[in-house]
């Protein structure tokens, strides 16, 4: 069957070839292990059972996971193996199953969750770029407890320049609304870990505070207050952005302060503000096929 699962809508048969995302039909991933560098309600003290999927339908030029998103590093696995991995991570004590960049494998992920859902005591997290079709997300109904999308840009110019997707906001805004419809507001368990709900992430980029403020305003105007927002400061230039005038440096203190100030002005009730000092290399783990 031809693939139109994400907004790229390539229409290729992924049994025979690949589209923009660079991936065939079977799931492929680069790591499945406990991960400790997500928001505190996700990582807790025992870690989030994180599966980093290979390929990407967005491919931002500054991606911190470049070798897997652009380079397609990773290993192809079966749907049955993916189900086993969920159980193994649960046995290792994971607070949740964190599906990183899952969109292009929506169908095999649905099958893999259905096979083991009755044995899972921890929530599934859909940790995505936000560049998704609302109708594809509707297929996840009842399978995913927590949605953790990015909302990267409002400006079509910026999204075209950095992610080759002028229509990013058009799709991501609808995707986030669908995620809230399914998961609703955040609910924590007695240990303070997330059980269900929506957390929207926004990574502030250098030279883009104007657009960050538009993102915050849209969230405030469109998403109920019981969803969380996670403002992130960890942008780090990579070799691929070294020639790019606007992306070849870290975020300045002044820029981040401006966006944090807007967040406070808008009076968001729930969420996280990453400190500017906290970015560290551990955020990006080794993509060494662990746990696959
Ligand atoms: S998942 Fe891949 S092949 Fe399918 S539409 Fe998106 S980019 Fe194209």
């Amino acid at each position: 069957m031809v693939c139109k699962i994400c907004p790229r809508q390539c229409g290729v048969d992924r049994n025979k070839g690949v589209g923009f995302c660079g991936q065939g039909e079977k799931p492929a991933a680069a790591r499945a292990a406990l991960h400790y560098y997500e928001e505190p309600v996700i990582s807790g003290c025992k870690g989030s059972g994180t599966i980093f999927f290979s390929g990407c339908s967005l491919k931002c030029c500054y991606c911190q996971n470049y070798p897997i998103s652009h380079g397609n590093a990773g290993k192809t696995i079966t749907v049955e193996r993916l189900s086993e991995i969920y159980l193994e991570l649960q046995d290792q004590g994971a607070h949740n199953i964190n599906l990183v960049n899952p969109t292009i494998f929506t169908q095999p992920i649905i099958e893999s969750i259905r096979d083991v859902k009755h044995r899972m005591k921890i929530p599934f997290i859909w940790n995505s770029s936000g560049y998704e079709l609302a109708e594809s997300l509707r297929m996840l109904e009842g399978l995913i407890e927590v949605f953790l999308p990015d909302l990267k840009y409002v400006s079509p110019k910026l999204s075209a320049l950095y992610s080759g997707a002028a229509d990013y906001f058009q799709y991501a805004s609808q995707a986030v609304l669908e995620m809230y419809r399914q998961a609703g507001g955040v609910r924590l368990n007695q240990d303070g870990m997330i059980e269900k709900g929506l957390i929207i992430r926004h990574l502030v980029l250098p030279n883009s505070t104007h657009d960050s403020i538009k993102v915050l305003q849209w969230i405030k105007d469109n998403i109920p207050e019981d969803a969380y927002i996670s403002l992130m400061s960890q942008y780090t230039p990579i070799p691929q952005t070294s020639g790019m005038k606007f992306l070849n440096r870290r975020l300045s203190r002044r820029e981040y302060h401006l966006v944090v100030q807007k967040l406070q002005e808008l009076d968001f009730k729930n969420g996280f503000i990453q400190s500017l000092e906290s970015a560290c290399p551990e955020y990006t783990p080794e993509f060494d096929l662990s746990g696959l």
Side-chain angles (χ1 to χ4, degrees):
M1 209 165 75
V2 297
C3 182
K4 293 191 173 182
I5 204 76
C6 84
R8 300 281 181 197
Q9 305 203 51
C10 305
V12 294
D13 180 348
R14 286 168 61 187
N15 268 318
K16 298 188 183 134
V18 296
F20 181 89
C21 61
Q23 290 292 318
E25 204 161 74
K26 286 199 179 126
R31 182 179 174 90
L34 295 176
H35 188 56
Y36 299 91
Y37 300 97
E38 307 284 26
E39 288 80 353
V41 298
I42 294 172
S43 293
C45 52
K46 295 189 286 186
S48 174
T50 306
I51 303 168
F52 290 89
F53 288 99
S54 308
C56 186
S57 57
L58 194 56
K59 298 191 181 171
C60 308
C61 63
Y62 53 84
C63 180
Q64 304 294 295
N65 296 340
Y66 209 93
I68 57 174
S69 60
H70 291 245
N72 290 308
K75 176 183 168 185
T76 301
I77 54 175
T78 61
V79 167
E80 294 71 31
R81 177 64 196 136
L82 189 52
S83 302
E84 280 171 15
I85 291 170
Y86 303 152
L87 295 168
E88 287 169 11
L89 290 168
Q90 177 170 254
D91 287 347
Q92 288 167 33
H95 289 293
N96 42 60
I97 301 298
N98 185 355
L99 306 165
V100 178
N101 202 13
T103 309
I104 62 179
F105 297 117
T106 299
Q107 272 141 347
I109 289 173
I110 288 172
E111 284 175 51
S112 65
I113 297 179
R114 282 202 180 124
D115 287 347
V116 288
K117 192 68 176 163
H118 60 291
R119 296 169 67 187
M120 299 299 294
K121 300 178 186 68
I122 55 177
F124 281 90
I125 301 180
W126 189 263
N127 180 344
S128 70
S129 70
Y131 191 52
E132 299 173 89
L133 294 176
E135 59 259 40
S136 298
L137 291 168
R138 277 196 275 280
M139 297 192 292
L140 300 169
E141 185 111 41
L143 297 173
I144 299 291
E145 285 77 21
V146 178
F147 286 94
L148 181 63
D150 294 332
L151 192 53
K152 293 173 183 287
Y153 327 93
V154 167
S155 158
K157 210 170 142 195
L158 215 55
S159 61
L161 185 65
Y162 293 163
S163 302
D167 54 7
Y168 175 85
F169 181 71
Q170 175 193 326
Y171 286 108
S173 54
Q174 294 308 305
V176 167
L177 289 168
E178 169 59 20
M179 291 173 185
Y180 185 82
R181 188 195 67 77
Q182 285 186 38
V186 169
R187 188 176 74 215
L188 305 178
N189 67 16
Q190 57 190 19
D191 300 322
M193 302 306 300
I194 194 162
E195 281 182 339
K196 68 167 245 349
L198 169 69
I199 302 179
I200 304 172
R201 282 177 166 170
H202 177 68
L203 174 70
V204 184
L205 296 172
N207 297 295
S208 300
T209 53
H210 186 64
D211 202 54
S212 288
I213 287 170
K214 284 190 180 161
V215 169
L216 297 184
Q217 187 69 59
W218 184 86
I219 296 171
K220 185 69 187 176
D221 294 342
N222 292 279
I223 302 293
E225 282 189 344
D226 55 358
Y228 281 20
I229 183 160
S230 179
L231 193 68
M232 305 174 83
S233 61
Q234 70 190 59
Y235 173 77
T236 310
I238 57 172
Q240 288 78 3
T241 56
S242 60
M244 298 185 74
K245 193 173 153 199
F246 297 118
L247 286 178
N248 62 5
R249 63 164 173 85
R250 297 282 302 272
L251 196 60
S252 75
R253 190 164 297 279
R254 194 191 61 80
E255 286 172 317
Y256 196 49
H257 179 69
L258 209 70
V259 180
V260 170
Q261 209 176 20
K262 183 67 183 176
L263 185 98
Q264 287 161 347
E265 263 172 46
L266 289 171
D267 197 24
F268 280 96
K269 296 277 183 283
N270 297 302
F272 307 96
I273 301 174
Q274 189 177 40
S275 89
L276 198 54
E277 289 75 27
S278 67
C280 61
E282 287 80 14
Y283 286 147
T284 309
E286 289 290 313
F287 297 122
D288 55 3
L289 311 184
S290 299
L292 297 170

